[in-house]
């Protein structure tokens, strides 16, 4: 069967088509899927384009809701989302950022997925539609854990509470080629402070496992502490717990393990 392209005008139509045809895949920004088609890795099945305007909407009243079709370029245009500019800017060059969507980033294979690392540190929920039912909120960590199984339906949006203080949110991507190399690693941290101590730490790593992961040991050692030299030393020591980096064309597993604590410490101490 050759590739068939169809356009869905509503979320329900797209979710129904995806549920009814196991070959169906959504074309979001297309930066990954079109490469698969052009390079002959994807040769048959249904490719869906979704034109529901809500797919590209940004809603900033209360909890932030970003339609899954929102692009990195659209994030960069919104001053209210300044805390997300570093992860959006970290994705490819300008042409890629004009197309690359948040939804597609949730499915991107490591070492891609830099924006998803930031969403994980923001404790985001993914809105998923299976068939014709209403979208269901799935914690991003759970969504990523289930990704290898496939069959995740249509992602309509992601939601999260914005950081109360933008300075509490930090992101760092390390790559060999600047400005648009692939990740040796990426780190995001949301470190709300209460009375001078971290309260509700969320730290996430990219390229340290097959999917972006929470750094729970780091979160534990930071919780309730002032962000001082002792806490940062403890975080460095905890960084390797649970990581499973791979060796790929960008870096070896050994190198990733060696440099992770260094860059985590730089992020926590606010260094460039
Ligand atoms: C030159 C180049 C450089 C890149 N650099 C980076 C980088 O630095 N960092 C990085 O993280 N990524 C990078 N990427 C990868 C990619 O551009 C991004 O990860 C991007 O966010 C993917 O989004 P997309 O909309 O283009 O995905 P698409 O190609 O449209 O989709 C990718 C996959 O996700 C599925 N999908 C997409 N949206 C949905 C949805 N809403 N519901 C269900 N399934 C969905 C598709 O069906 C497909 O299987 C790069 C790509 C290129 C070509």
């Amino acid at each position: 069967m050759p590739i068939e392209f169809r356009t869905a005008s509503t979320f329900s139509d797209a979710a129904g088509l995806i549920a009814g045809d196991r070959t169906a895949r959504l074309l979001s920004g297309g930066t990954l899927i079109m490469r698969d088609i052009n390079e002959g890795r994807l040769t048959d099945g249904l490719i869906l384009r979704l034109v529901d305007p809500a797919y590209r909407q940004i809603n900033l009243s209360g909890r932030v809701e970003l339609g899954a079709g929102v692009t990195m370029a659209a994030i960069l245009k919104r001053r209210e989302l300044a805390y997300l500019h570093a992860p959006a800017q970290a994705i490819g060059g300008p042409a890629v950022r004009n197309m690359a969507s948040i939804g597609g980033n949730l499915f991107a294979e490591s070492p891609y997925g830099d924006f998803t690392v930031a969403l994980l540190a923001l404790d985001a929920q993914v809105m998923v539609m299976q068939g014709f039912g209403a979208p269901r909120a799935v914690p991003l960590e759970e969504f990523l854990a289930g990704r290898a199984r496939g069959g995740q339906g249509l992602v309509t949006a992601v939601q999260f509470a914005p950081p109360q203080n933008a300075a509490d949110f930090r992101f760092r991507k390390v790559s060999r080629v600047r400005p648009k190399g692939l990740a040796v690693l990426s780190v995001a941290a949301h470190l709300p402070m209460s009375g001078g101590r971290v309260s509700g730490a969320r730290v996430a790593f990219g390229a340290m496992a097959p999917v972006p992961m929470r750094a729970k040991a780091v979160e534990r050692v930071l919780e309730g502490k002032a962000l001082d030299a002792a806490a940062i030393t403890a975080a460095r020591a905890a960084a390797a717990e649970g990581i499973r980096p791979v060796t790929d064309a960008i870096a070896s597993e050994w190198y990733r393990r060696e440099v992770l604590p260094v860059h985590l410490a730089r992020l926590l101490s606010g260094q460039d």
Side-chain angles (χ1 to χ4, degrees):
M1 184 178 97
I3 287 180
E4 182 192 355
F5 282 92
R6 286 176 70 175
T7 298
S9 46
T10 65
F11 284 135
S12 296
D13 288 351
L17 284 163
I18 290 171
D21 180 345
R22 59 177 185 77
T23 72
R25 294 176 70 183
L26 194 80
L27 177 80
S28 194
T31 59
L32 291 173
I33 207 169
M34 287 311 298
R35 197 164 64 174
D36 284 348
I37 293 172
N38 291 336
E39 294 177 3
R41 283 186 294 274
L42 184 60
T43 53
D44 53 23
L46 176 62
I47 305 291
L48 275 178
R49 199 167 68 99
L50 174 57
V51 294
D52 191 324
Y55 189 59
R56 293 183 182 268
Q57 235 159 47
I58 295 178
N59 187 345
L60 300 175
S61 49
R63 265 174 86 76
V64 173
E65 180 169 279
L66 306 175
V70 168
T71 62
M72 302 303 155
I75 298 281
L76 288 167
K77 284 190 189 132
R78 300 298 291 258
R79 266 194 306 177
E80 307 93 317
L81 296 173
Y83 53 95
L84 285 175
H85 286 185
Q89 187 71 37
I91 298 198
V96 169
R97 289 194 289 273
N98 272 337
M99 305 294 289
S101 71
I102 291 165
N105 204 259
L106 299 175
F107 291 88
E109 302 279 334
S110 182
Y112 289 153
D114 300 308
F115 197 84
T116 303
V117 176
L119 290 175
L120 199 50
L122 287 169
D123 202 12
Q125 291 191 318
V126 183
M127 304 305 293
V128 178
M129 245 175 126
Q130 299 276 8
F132 292 100
R136 188 171 61 94
V138 180
L140 176 53
E141 198 179 358
E142 189 184 311
F143 177 89
L144 291 169
R147 204 177 73 179
R149 287 195 300 274
Q152 282 173 301
L154 173 70
V155 175
T156 61
V158 294
Q159 295 182 347
F160 52 87
Q164 292 209 332
N165 178 358
D168 294 343
F169 186 76
R170 303 165 188 205
F171 176 85
R172 185 180 189 93
K173 174 176 172 178
V174 181
S175 54
R176 291 181 187 272
V177 181
R178 288 191 181 203
K180 49 180 189 171
L182 301 190
V184 171
L185 64 93
S186 50
V187 190
H190 183 208
L191 304 168
M193 303 298 286
S194 172
R197 293 175 185 277
V198 176
S199 170
R202 297 274 307 200
V203 181
F205 295 153
M208 285 294 149
V211 293
M213 61 172 280
R214 291 257 309 273
K216 291 183 182 167
V218 175
E219 293 172 0
R220 270 196 306 274
V221 301
L222 292 177
E223 194 62 30
K225 308 273 174 27
L227 211 48
D228 56 15
I232 293 172
T233 302
R236 277 186 73 132
E241 196 175 308
I243 63 169
R244 289 180 293 143
V246 294
T247 295
D248 58 18
I250 310 301
S252 67
E253 175 194 348
W254 174 85
Y255 184 74
R256 286 189 160 105
R257 285 182 181 277
E258 286 296 306
V259 297
L260 173 68
V262 176
H263 290 287
L264 175 64
R266 287 185 186 162
L267 178 95
L268 296 176
S269 57
Q271 287 176 45
D272 282 337

